[in-house]
Amino acid sequence: MATMRAAVYTTFSGPIIVQEVPKPTAPVGGLLLRVKACGVCRSDYHGWKGLDSDIVTHGLPFTPGHELSGVVVKLGLGTTKFQVGDRVAVPFILSCGSCRQCARNRPTICEAQGQPGFTMPGGFAEFVAVPRADRNVSLMPPKVSFLQAAALGCRLTTAYRAVMQQGRLQSGETVGVFGCGGLGLSAVMIALAAGDNVRVLAVDTSEEACNKAWDLHAFNAKEGDEYIRARVAEVTGGFGADLTLDTAGFAATCENAVWCTRRGGRMVQVGLPLHGKEPCIPMARVANQEIEIIGSHGLAATDMPVLLAMVAAGRLMPEKLVQREVTLEEGAKAIEAMDTGSPLGITMITRFKGAKEGDEPNEPPAKMPRVA
Ligand SMILES: NC(=O)c1ccc[n+]([C@@H]2O[C@H](COP(=O)([O-])OP(=O)(O)OC[C@H]3O[C@@H](n4cnc5c(N)ncnc54)[C@H](O)[C@@H]3O)[C@@H](O)[C@H]2O)c1
Ligand SMILES: [Zn+2]
Ligand SMILES: [Zn+2]
């Protein structure tokens, strides 16, 4: 039986070990990919802690990883849009196309969504099986690298939906980003790239993260909640931000985001407060001041080409979010390390083979665009 290297945990919160496991086959209607890059997201940490119901339902052992790009090595039966050798970007939500939400054009809340790294083994491996490919997977433009495309698999596309679609950012507005890890920095990047005359207020407990947020207004949340709320009030003339986002998923980031939203403003919940204290929301303020609280989950796969085109045109630079390129073993350790904090920016696995074998260079010469 053919095998491959993959990072596996056999107990929740237990060691994540790189080992040989059976190589998957191409699923019906899907693709078998050689994984070229896979990010380490805090949602992988939630899963490893046993806090993701899909992984609990799937059962252990499990291979995480949902922020990935790769090369098609085999086509499943019935897959029509791809060829072996295609470079592809994979969104973490693989919608079904036939449930009530898909019928309402709400694929991000598909009732039967597949998610590599949650409902099925993920991209912390040399190969990954991706079903529902024709509907969900995108070809990468030749100019886009695997590292850039992988960042679109989760946090950059999620940030785009949160800021632009659910958050409805308008030119001239002030946006407060609470938590500037991988997702928060992606939101800062999107807001600065997409919005005309947009002012970004970046909040994080890490001085390094504040510095990486590229903005004049970065506030260190180590100073406490009152300090953050006072500073946001101070720089917004006492009104608060037009749009706020909890991009970290902690009680403090959620609560501060709501408290820092202006009358009639919008607060978008993107971080998943699955760990630690449950947020306590001042609902009277939400009612009296007509503050909208809006959820946001991933991005529709049909919007992925828009983001890929922005990257190809140099309008978005996901590579600037990637702080570390690591091996499969180091990626596994990076999940475990989230027990005690967050990495700076995005940590991306780009080396999947063992030290002896070595990986081939990650960027093969760009293919000529295919004639459809
Ligand atoms: N809704 C979605 O579709 C979606 C998609 C991707 C990630 N997520 C969730 O988004 C969250 C962020 O993911 P990530 O990978 O960017 O995480 P991360 O660990 O990289 O970032 C978290 C950031 O929050 C900062 N932080 C911690 N406490 C803080 C506080 N009190 N005030 C301000 N900042 C604080 C940390 O220093 C860090 O920079 C997670 O909950 C993840 O599960 C949701
Ligand atoms: Zn993620
Ligand atoms: Zn569906």
Side-chain angles (χ1 to χ4, degrees):
M1 186 184 29
T3 64
M4 66 170 182
R5 300 177 86 237
V8 179
Y9 51 89
T10 49
T11 52
F12 290 120
S13 303
I16 309 173
I17 294 169
V18 176
Q19 54 190 246
E20 287 291 325
V21 302
K23 181 179 165 184
T25 51
V28 172
L31 305 167
L32 181 66
L33 303 184
R34 173 178 280 284
V35 184
K36 298 298 284 184
C38 186
V40 185
C41 172
R42 183 159 282 272
S43 300
D44 297 313
Y45 171 78
H46 293 145
W48 173 62
K49 292 308 258 185
L51 299 170
D52 184 276
S53 56
D54 287 328
I55 297 178
V56 172
T57 303
H58 177 280
L60 301 177
F62 196 72
T63 293
H66 60 280
E67 191 173 69
L68 65 102
S69 63
V71 174
V72 176
V73 291
K74 208 163 185 358
L75 302 176
L77 213 62
T79 309
T80 59
K81 289 196 187 159
F82 299 94
Q83 295 174 1
V84 169
D86 279 345
R87 305 160 77 241
V88 293
V90 183
F92 79 88
I93 300 173
L94 306 174
S95 67
C96 76
S98 49
C99 74
R100 277 170 304 179
Q101 299 306 334
C102 284
R104 293 174 60 217
N105 198 22
R106 298 287 304 272
T108 57
I109 51 169
C110 168
E111 289 163 13
Q113 54 195 272
Q115 297 182 351
F118 298 105
T119 65
M120 63 189 88
F124 277 42
E126 286 183 90
F127 297 92
V128 67
V130 178
R132 300 175 178 172
D134 284 353
R135 180 178 167 77
N136 292 290
V137 174
S138 287
L139 276 174
M140 288 164 51
K143 271 191 188 162
V144 174
S145 73
F146 289 114
L147 181 130
Q148 290 174 317
L152 298 183
C154 176
R155 283 167 291 181
L156 213 77
T157 42
T158 296
Y160 181 81
R161 177 160 177 78
V163 172
M164 303 307 294
Q165 298 180 345
Q166 301 296 80
R168 311 189 304 273
L169 180 67
Q170 306 289 313
S171 53
E173 286 195 325
T174 298
V175 50
V177 179
F178 292 77
C180 289
L183 179 64
L185 287 175
S186 300
V188 172
M189 182 178 268
I190 295 280
L192 292 175
D196 205 10
N197 196 22
V198 164
R199 189 163 58 143
V200 180
L201 313 178
V203 178
D204 203 286
T205 40
S206 145
E207 190 72 44
E208 276 182 305
C210 286
N211 291 339
K212 203 172 159 61
W214 310 287
D215 206 70
L216 301 175
H217 299 287
F219 306 135
N220 194 329
K222 272 217 174 106
E223 303 288 333
D225 296 344
E226 291 315 315
Y227 168 84
I228 292 302
R229 294 172 199 181
R231 292 304 313 275
V232 172
E234 186 188 315
V235 299
T236 56
F239 294 109
D242 302 293
L243 169 65
T244 59
L245 302 112
D246 170 10
T247 41
F250 298 108
T253 46
C254 171
E255 291 164 10
N256 283 336
V258 176
W259 279 105
C260 292
T261 309
R262 71 157 166 82
R263 282 174 181 268
R266 292 100 59 207
M267 182 273 182
V268 179
Q269 185 64 43
V270 215
L272 306 175
L274 287 167
H275 208 234
K277 187 169 117 351
E278 194 58 31
C280 178
I281 307 296
M283 289 312 263
R285 177 189 169 89
V286 169
N288 292 336
Q289 302 196 3
E290 295 195 348
I291 291 170
E292 288 180 63
I293 298 186
I294 309 155
S296 195
H297 186 229
L299 178 76
T302 44
D303 290 332
M304 175 69 96
V306 176
L307 279 276
L308 285 166
M310 285 172 83
V311 175
R315 288 179 54 210
L316 278 183
M317 289 173 255
E319 67 280 10
K320 293 206 167 169
L321 302 168
V322 177
Q323 193 68 26
R324 280 177 75 209
E325 281 187 55
V326 300
T327 62
L328 202 46
E329 283 81 356
E330 289 165 334
K333 288 277 165 262
I335 294 185
E336 296 173 3
M338 285 195 198
D339 261 337
T340 51
S342 291
L344 184 63
I346 290 179
T347 301
M348 186 73 76
I349 303 169
T350 50
R351 297 195 297 284
F352 294 85
K353 292 191 173 157
K356 259 201 252 152
E357 236 181 325
D359 288 77
E360 68 261 31
N362 212 1
E363 288 306 324
K367 277 182 36 165
M368 290 301 287
R370 252 177 43 205
V371 181

